[in-house]
Amino acid sequence: MPTLGIDLGGTFARAAVVDGAGKMLASAKVALAERSPAGVVETIAQAASEAVKAAGVPVSGCGVGAAAQIHKDSGVLSVAPNLGWRNVPLGALLKERLGQPVRVVNDLSAAAWGELHAGAGRGAQDLLVVFVGSGVGSAIIANGRLLDGAGGVAGELGHIKVVPGGRRCGCGELGCLEAYAGGHNLIAQTRELLASGNAPKVVELTGGDAARITPVTLEQAAEAGDAEAREVYERAARFLAVAVANQVTVLNPARLLLGGGVLTHCPGLRRHVVEGVQAWASQTAREGLLITEAELGDDSGLIGAALLAG
Ligand SMILES: [Zn+2]
């Protein structure tokens, strides 16, 4: 029987009815009017009901991919920065509201599962997915199984320490990879450059308006020869590339899938990561490694969440 997949973002909930082969039969998207747990549960229920109605088939089971750290057995969102939540029992609340068994996983885990079964990971048993968007994350499929760790937070690549005691990360700790190479922090560092008055290309690209800075601004300023921008950009690129290369060395995946808005829109950064893996992952781990794009785009998490519920 088809299952229901939910993608819970910071501003909307998407729902899809997905068959056992990973084909989406229907989907719906509803904006989050308010971010209280009760309000979000109602929004999810509304999106789910629209998707089920459009598909015209019954569903059995619901999977949720959420941008959060999730305690794997209880479905409790320990930390969901986009929603400002701590310790919200989303799985239990949704189970009661939908009258379905509910499984809640991290959004990247859901995306990796979707790519494994219906996207660029098909046929692989060992898959490493790295997304760089506003944050940095990874998900790991080992021997055909999702690696979730004892507490459910395995694969948090964004929070490995690259500069112990360094920049403050959104997670509250110091010196995480994400504090240097995540999209939010690429923007924050570029704003710092603009404020310092030592980054003429950043001024040129934005007209001096900090609100117009994106991660692409930093890449373009660096490539145009702005010395201070280049320093910040190359530091971020190097940290990211070394981290992914080391992850390849440790995990020996058959495929490395790269995705997320920053890697999509900053081709230079993506190239640094690919070249870094080719240069710095151990030779034995990178033999036969295929580096490719995530294939299902925005739908990978929806499809994966639904398949995880099956
Ligand atoms: Zn962190």
Side-chain angles (χ1 to χ4, degrees):
M1 194 182 286
T3 52
L4 194 57
I6 307 289
D7 173 18
L8 177 60
T11 54
F12 58 82
R14 292 177 73 209
V17 176
V18 176
D19 71 13
K23 182 166 178 266
M24 270 191 356
L25 305 178
S27 67
K29 178 176 176 175
V30 180
L32 294 178
E34 57 149 322
R35 294 181 181 187
S36 69
V40 169
V41 165
E42 273 318 303
T43 304
I44 291 174
Q46 189 191 335
S49 147
E50 285 177 22
V52 169
K53 197 173 159 197
V57 292
V59 293
S60 163
C62 172
V64 183
Q69 292 186 8
I70 291 144
H71 191 271
K72 65 175 178 179
D73 295 325
S74 62
V76 169
L77 272 59
S78 327
V79 185
N82 292 338
L83 296 165
W85 288 2
R86 279 188 181 266
N87 299 319
V88 172
L90 182 70
L93 294 170
L94 264 183
K95 183 178 175 210
E96 192 182 317
R97 178 65 179 79
L98 298 176
Q100 297 270 1
V102 173
R103 180 169 179 192
V104 186
V105 300
N106 172 269
D107 56 349
L108 259 192
S109 298
W113 197 251
E115 292 288 342
L116 178 72
H117 289 281
R122 265 185 306 243
Q125 287 286 300
D126 296 278
L127 189 65
L128 171 61
V129 178
V130 174
F131 272 50
V132 183
S134 53
V136 177
S138 75
I140 300 154
I141 309 278
N143 296 328
R145 298 184 55 176
L146 195 57
L147 188 75
D148 48 12
V153 294
E156 289 276 358
L157 181 66
H159 305 288
I160 64 165
K161 302 298 176 279
V162 291
V163 183
R167 285 178 68 85
R168 172 83 60 186
C169 179
C171 73
E173 295 175 11
L174 297 175
C176 297
L177 174 61
E178 186 168 300
Y180 295 88
H184 275 322
N185 283 295
L186 291 172
I187 292 171
Q189 292 171 98
T190 312
R191 286 185 174 168
E192 288 162 20
L193 286 175
L194 183 66
S196 76
N198 292 326
K201 292 289 177 193
V202 175
V203 177
E204 200 178 304
L205 288 163
T206 60
D209 180 1
R212 289 174 57 193
I213 290 172
T214 70
V216 178
T217 314
L218 181 63
E219 179 163 296
Q220 289 178 343
E223 286 173 353
D226 207 329
E228 298 216 359
R230 199 164 65 209
E231 199 175 305
V232 169
Y233 174 76
E234 286 184 352
R235 180 176 65 178
R238 191 176 175 85
F239 284 162
L240 186 62
V242 170
V244 177
N246 286 342
Q247 218 184 2
V248 166
T249 300
V250 170
L251 295 167
N252 185 205
R255 291 181 208 168
L256 166 63
L257 267 55
L258 299 174
V262 170
L263 289 183
T264 305
H265 297 297
C266 298
L269 201 57
R270 187 182 187 283
R271 196 176 60 244
H272 271 96
V273 173
V274 171
E275 289 175 358
V277 169
Q278 286 161 348
W280 301 321
S282 74
Q283 195 184 337
T284 44
R286 68 172 194 265
E287 257 170 34
L289 172 72
L290 177 67
I291 305 176
T292 183
E293 320 271 313
E295 196 176 283
L296 301 173
D298 288 346
D299 294 336
S300 58
L302 261 181
I303 293 170
L307 291 173
L308 278 165

